[in-house]
Amino acid sequence: MYDTLIGGARVLDGSGGAAFQADVAIRDGRIAALGELAGQPARERVDARGRVLAPGFIDVHTHDDTNVIRTPQMLPKLSQGVTTVVVGNCGISAAPVRLRGEPPDPMNLLGGRADFAYPSFAAYTQAVDAARPAVNVAALVGHTALRNNHMDRLDRPATPAEIAAMRSQLREALAHGAVGLSTGLAYASAFQADTAEVKALAEELDAWGALYTTHLRSEFAEILEAMQEAFDIGAHARVPVIVSHLKCAGAGNWGRSGQVLARLDTAGRYLPVGCDCYPYSASSSTLDLKQVTDEHDIDITWSEPHPDMAGRKLAAIAALWGVSLLEAARRLQPAGAVYHGMHEDDVRNILAHRLTMIGSDGLPNDPLPHPRLWGAFPRVLGHYSRDLGLFPLEQAVHKMTGLSAARFGLARRGLVRQDYHADLVLFDPAAVADRATFTDPARPAAGIDAVWVNGALSYAHGRASGARAGRWLPRAGDLRAGFAAATAP
């Protein structure tokens, strides 16, 4: 007796291969069988004719670190077919962290002081298991979090003793299943960390087969130099490198995606490399004075001293106050912002590249979040694959499932295969679409019929079922092998 029998689906199995018709059976949280199963007994039956059945989507770039515990229903992710999130990106993680005051920028994107309650990585994994989130969770360790734990101030390089303390804490996290180390070298809290500091930390990754992910030191004019720094770190440590949310930021950088991708390809000849990308031409983070410009729009999403300015453009606020853009930004801080600073052609070029995975980079604690939080994955399937024909649907699914699972060491996930964990999404290929907008960002996607997490039906008919079947996912094996086996078609 099967628990669930999904009948007549068009299966895209996550490998990048062609679709095939099959019935898919679930039992005890696993995919029990695929094939002609119509006559087999099952407690629940789902008619999937006219629908695509794919592996649950893996969001490789999230800032859901504290939300998987505080808001374990995880509706922004479930509603778009995401069944696994990777947290700890951009150098900021919820663990291991000991704060002496308020969380420094940009760690404040993850929550307030009370939300950083995990002094060890093991404590965080235990909290995830206790919270029983609706999605699976894998985690990186943030470089900025480590700096916060062992340095009296963050606007300088670390001393040898501080680096040794950070290495010890990173080693402990890797022993407890962390996927790797992330950096956010563009942020003021890590910008003064020199390459040698990061290389020393990255050395710890080699023995564990873990990986290095990075929000580059620059995504603007110096992007090629920043990419080379990342690849030098990976080569020194003999570990894979993933460039986070790869983009050509700033109007002066538009049109350079060809150069950027060529640098990625060149590095790939001697080093396991990859990148993730979100399907929008606007970014979102804290309000950074270095990014204030009149070359493109900047939307304010929150401001502690001026909360009434949320939802307005920085230029309009500056005009209202009769001050410069930079002065207005200073008065608003601490604040959040959306930067409309990319060119659509560059976004498409990067999305389509064979080494690119999909990550939302959504900010769940932002009062007016970027629409990528609710819409990234359906936007790839609907807008970019179906409507624009940027790549076929099987490649779109591969970029958010099989490729991601192999790269991040998520054992028996990311593919529709017998005995794999039953993380699955059923969607209508003709209707799937993002509905979230910059003015109305918390709108669930269209066309997502059902989502199963570890075999439990977790989302159906436009609402969460209440099931919370996610679990903590430790790193599985040496991730270098996953890079060798998972190049996108």
Side-chain angles (χ1 to χ4, degrees):
M1 174 77 74
Y2 296 127
D3 297 327
T4 304
L5 185 59
I6 305 168
R10 177 187 167 201
V11 178
L12 284 172
D13 69 1
S15 69
F20 57 90
Q21 292 293 128
D23 305 324
V24 176
I26 300 170
R27 183 168 53 214
D28 297 331
R30 301 258 183 163
I31 298 171
L34 297 86
E36 294 285 343
L37 306 172
Q40 299 298 313
R43 294 182 180 87
E44 300 284 343
R45 290 180 178 271
V46 177
D47 183 357
R49 287 174 294 180
R51 299 295 191 261
V52 167
L53 184 70
F57 306 141
I58 298 166
D59 192 344
V60 298
H61 193 107
T62 83
H63 296 289
D64 295 325
D65 303 52
T66 62
N67 297 80
V68 294
I69 297 168
R70 292 187 289 117
T71 56
Q73 300 82 7
M74 294 300 293
L75 189 59
K77 297 302 169 69
L78 268 186
S79 63
Q80 56 180 309
V82 170
T83 58
T84 298
V85 298
V86 179
V87 303
N89 285 280
C90 295
I92 59 175
S93 59
V97 171
R98 290 184 182 274
L99 294 176
R100 290 176 292 277
E102 293 301 314
D105 186 310
M107 286 176 63
N108 54 2
L109 290 173
L110 304 183
R113 184 175 183 176
D115 299 313
F116 290 86
Y118 317 105
S120 71
F121 195 80
Y124 178 73
T125 68
Q126 292 161 9
V128 171
D129 281 337
R132 297 184 302 108
V135 297
N136 304 305
V137 183
L140 296 151
V141 175
H143 171 227
T144 298
L146 296 174
R147 299 187 101 230
N148 162 84
N149 296 344
H150 298 287
M151 299 177 66
D152 59 347
R153 51 182 239 265
L154 302 180
D155 59 346
R156 61 172 176 82
T159 66
E162 290 164 344
I163 291 172
M166 287 190 273
R167 287 184 66 151
S168 177
Q169 203 164 36
L170 174 59
R171 190 161 54 244
E172 180 183 15
L174 292 167
H176 280 90
V179 174
L181 172 71
S182 78
T183 58
L185 299 176
Y187 291 107
S189 52
F191 189 77
Q192 295 304 321
D194 56 24
T195 307
E197 175 181 323
V198 184
K199 282 183 174 179
L201 291 173
E203 288 171 2
E204 295 292 339
L205 305 173
D206 183 21
W208 301 92
L211 54 77
Y212 172 62
T213 77
T214 180
H215 177 148
L216 296 168
R217 199 177 290 275
S218 176
E219 297 171 324
F220 293 82
E222 300 83 11
I223 186 170
L224 297 182
E225 293 82 358
M227 292 177 74
Q228 191 58 53
E229 178 188 34
F231 301 142
D232 288 347
I233 291 166
H236 172 81
R238 299 177 297 190
V239 297
V241 175
I242 292 175
V243 180
S244 296
H245 43 58
L246 185 60
K247 65 173 75 74
C248 296
N253 226 21
W254 291 351
R256 296 186 67 197
S257 54
Q259 298 175 43
V260 166
L261 293 170
R263 181 62 57 90
L264 189 69
D265 282 330
T266 298
R269 295 175 190 151
Y270 65 88
L271 182 71
V273 299
C275 65
D276 64 68
C277 180
Y278 48 81
Y280 299 86
S281 59
S283 62
S284 181
S285 187
T286 52
L287 180 58
D288 178 7
L289 298 183
K290 292 187 298 183
Q291 295 190 53
V292 171
T293 179
D294 60 1
E295 295 179 336
H296 54 74
D297 284 341
I298 300 173
D299 304 331
I300 301 303
T301 60
W302 59 271
S303 167
E304 283 192 10
H306 299 281
D308 55 318
M309 293 294 113
R312 301 193 186 198
K313 296 191 181 304
L314 178 60
I317 297 170
L320 177 67
W321 290 347
V323 298
S324 69
L325 288 176
L326 194 59
E327 177 58 27
R330 285 196 185 99
R331 294 185 187 183
L332 289 164
Q333 286 185 311
V338 167
Y339 305 89
H340 295 268
M342 289 174 267
H343 195 284
E344 177 65 18
D345 290 346
D346 291 320
V347 173
R348 294 182 190 185
N349 288 341
I350 294 169
L351 275 175
H353 193 270
R354 62 187 180 86
L355 296 177
T356 302
M357 300 172 289
I358 307 303
S360 72
D361 197 17
L363 301 178
N365 300 307
D366 198 317
L368 191 65
H370 189 300
R372 64 194 181 187
L373 177 67
W374 288 79
F377 291 82
R379 183 170 175 80
V380 171
L381 298 172
H383 179 65
Y384 283 104
S385 178
R386 180 192 62 228
D387 299 343
L388 298 183
L390 189 62
F391 33 64
L393 190 60
E394 55 266 31
Q395 188 177 348
V397 168
H398 178 62
K399 285 174 171 290
M400 53 183 73
T401 58
L403 182 62
S404 308
R407 293 233 175 112
F408 280 84
L410 307 179
R412 293 192 172 272
R413 299 183 194 272
L415 297 172
V416 182
R417 299 275 170 84
Q418 187 168 344
D419 202 37
Y420 271 54
H421 298 281
D423 294 342
L424 299 165
V425 56
L426 187 68
F427 65 91
D428 182 347
V432 65
D434 59 306
R435 285 176 166 169
T437 67
F438 287 99
T439 55
D440 190 8
R443 296 186 65 193
I448 302 294
D449 292 347
V451 181
W452 291 265
V453 180
N454 294 309
L457 181 62
S458 302
Y459 183 84
H461 310 298
R463 62 182 61 189
S465 71
R468 301 208 319 251
R471 60 187 64 159
W472 164 253
L473 301 183
R475 182 192 67 258
D478 190 321
L479 304 192
R480 287 167 285 216
F483 277 72
T487 300

